[in-house]
């Protein structure tokens, strides 16, 4: 973690708090450590990130289908997957100040806070335990899933039987996961409840290296297409001693967060470990029969596994700019339009009745297509600033001339350029702009993102 990104985390936390992106969980009770609530704007960007992922990974592909499996699973799933025995981190306590640390993350042997002596490391399992039903005994222990992937593996045969998918094909899932992390922090980067976006891509053994490379490129391009600057992204290959015993290779996509380079997504070649284990523990065959050769094989798996919350944080950090503007500082989130909470906001210049009616009519028309904001308080300059700060790509201003000439002004977030266009062209023009086209080239009809 050497280079430091230009934006400090405190700026992002403060913007998120101030504008309703992200709040501490249970705040009126003093908060709950490392749990976060997404506010009215946060829920939109988070939804947009998941939808962008789903579009790229499922909707636009012939070889991937989706699933939504339950968070609580049979406890044997976690025996088979190795989580009960092996999903732990080495924990050390400071004998002096009592703070706890992950031994593998400490570069020194004394407490980083007070310099006190540390205990010997002991293994701490990261899974949250609870009980199924009214009796709290060992027979009723269940776990909150620490990853979404196992729900995919245990449904492998169901998907093969019902979809008749042929190798290579993938199964994708997004959803909540829970880890009782020893050290949390850096805002939503590491929390105890978070969301993942995971793909398990099943391939014929022997083609796994090629597919591993393919998915590394696909996933890197996904972040780039959504506007992450190339200099803020890189791959980090796992060293041999970091790899899980069953994995043939793993690459992390790392982002330059304010605290330094850190993992955004892991892309692993898991070989046939998961299906073999579940087959062994469940007694059910998870083999795949090739329709041509009739051979029975256990497919290999390439797993791109991304975090929704880490992605949201990366998109926010990457988009945050402070620019001098008329002796003030303009804060602007240059979010990719498909991620911005509002695509467009309607601003009537005054609250006079006839102007408000026109503005509301325009708002009603636009929101059929996109998340559309409406703001009629304070000066229009202030309102532009507020929209810049939350990343709204376009504002539509309605003034008194609009009542006469049926035209409105569109103002762009990034260039702050303004153009005046007929109201009947509005939807089509914004559609074209959101799709990345210039004002001059208008497709017939609007386009929804
Ligand atoms: P780390 O080394 O940071 O603990 P990991 O290697 O254990 O992460 P994976 O098990 O590969 O993480 O999980 C896949 C993805 O899920 C990560 O790349 C990350 O984006 C996300 N993720 C994992 N743990 C957390 C967490 N505690 N909070 C937020 N996101 C997480």
């Amino acid at each position: 973690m050497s280079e430091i990104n230009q934006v400090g985390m405190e700026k992002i936390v403060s913007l998120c708090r101030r504008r309703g992106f992200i709040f501490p969980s249970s705040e009126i009770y003093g908060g709950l450590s490392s749990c976060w609530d997404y506010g009215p704007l946060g829920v939109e960007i988070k939804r947009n990130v998941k939808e962008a992922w789903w579009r790229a990974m499922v909707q636009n592909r012939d070889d991937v289908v989706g699933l939504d499996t339950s968070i609580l699973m049979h406890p044997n799933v976690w025996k088979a997957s190795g989580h009960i025995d092996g999903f732990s981190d080495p924990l050390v306590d400071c004998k002096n100040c009592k703070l706890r640390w992950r031994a593998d993350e400490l570069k020194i042997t004394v407490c980083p806070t007070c310099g006190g002596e540390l205990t010997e490391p002991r293994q701490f399992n990261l899974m949250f335990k609870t009980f199924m039903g009214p009796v709290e005994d060992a027979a009723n222990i269940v776990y909150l899933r620490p990853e979404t992937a196992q729900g995919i593996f245990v449904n492998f045969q169901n998907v093969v039987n019902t979809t008749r998918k042929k190798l290579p094909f993938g199964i994708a899932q997004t959803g909540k996961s829970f880890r009782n992390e020893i050290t949390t922090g850096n805002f939503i980067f590491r929390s105890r409840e978070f969301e993942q976006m995971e793909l398990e891509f099943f391939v014929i053994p022997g083609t796994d290296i090629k597919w591993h490379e393919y998915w590394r490129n696909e996933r890197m391009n996904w972040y780039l297409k959504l506007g992450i600057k190339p200099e803020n992204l890189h791959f980090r290959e796992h060293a041999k001693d970091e790899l899980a015993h069953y994995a043939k290779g793993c690459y992390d996509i790392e982002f330059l967060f304010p605290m330094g380079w850190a993992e955004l997504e892991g892309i692993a070649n898991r070989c046939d470990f998961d299906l073999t284990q579940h087959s062994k523990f469940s007694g059910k065959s998870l083999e795949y029969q090739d329709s041509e050769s009739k051979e029975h094989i256990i497919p290999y798996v390439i797993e791109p596994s991304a975090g929704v919350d880490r992605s949201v944080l990366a998109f926010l950090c990457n988009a945050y700019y402070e620019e001098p503007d008329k002796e003030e500082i303009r804060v602007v989130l240059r979010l990719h339009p498909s991620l911005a909470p509002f695509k467009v906001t309607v601003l009537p210049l005054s609250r006079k009745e006839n102007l408000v009616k026109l503005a509301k009519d325009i708002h009603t028309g636009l929101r059929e297509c996109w998340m559309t904001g409406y703001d009629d308080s304070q000066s229009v300059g202030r309102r532009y600033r507020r929209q810049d700060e939350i990343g709204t790509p376009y504002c539509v201003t309605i003034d008194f001339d609009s009542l006469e000439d049926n035209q409105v002004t569109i103002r762009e977030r990034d260039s702050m350029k303004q153009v005046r266009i007929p109201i009947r062209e509005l939807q089509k023009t914004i559609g074209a702009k959101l799709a990345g086209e210039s004002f001059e080239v208008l497709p017939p009809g609007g386009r929804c993102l």
Side-chain angles (χ1 to χ4, degrees), residues 343-344 360-373 427 447-449:
K343 312 301 177 212
V344 49
K360 293 264 178 197
D361 284 350
I362 290 175
H363 184 221
T364 304
L366 293 176
R367 72 204 296 184
E368 299 252 318
C369 243
W370 304 288
M371 278 302 294
T372 306
Q427 193 164 316
R447 256 192 237 170
C448 298
L449 278 188

Side-chain angles (χ1 to χ4, degrees), residues 87 89 102 105 146-147 179 181 184 188-198 238 252-253 263-266 303 305-311:
F87 192 56
D89 282 335
R102 253 174 78 172
E105 284 191 341
E147 61 178 33
R179 295 183 189 179
E181 302 274 6
T184 54
I188 54 172
F189 177 82
R190 188 183 301 286
S191 48
R192 296 196 168 103
E193 174 179 341
F194 54 96
E195 262 186 272
Q196 291 185 306
M197 308 182 280
E198 297 197 292
H238 281 213
D252 288 345
I253 296 181
E263 174 179 341
L264 197 50
E265 166 160 358
E303 178 193 72
S305 170
V308 178
D309 314 81
R310 281 190 196 177
S311 298

Side-chain angles (χ1 to χ4, degrees), residues 27-52:
E27 196 177 10
I28 59 168
Y29 288 97
L32 179 66
S33 164
S34 83
C35 292
W36 301 94
D37 294 343
Y38 284 75
L41 296 179
V43 70
E44 295 300 333
I45 186 171
K46 193 182 192 196
R47 227 164 50 86
N48 292 340
V49 166
K50 287 187 279 184
E51 278 175 13

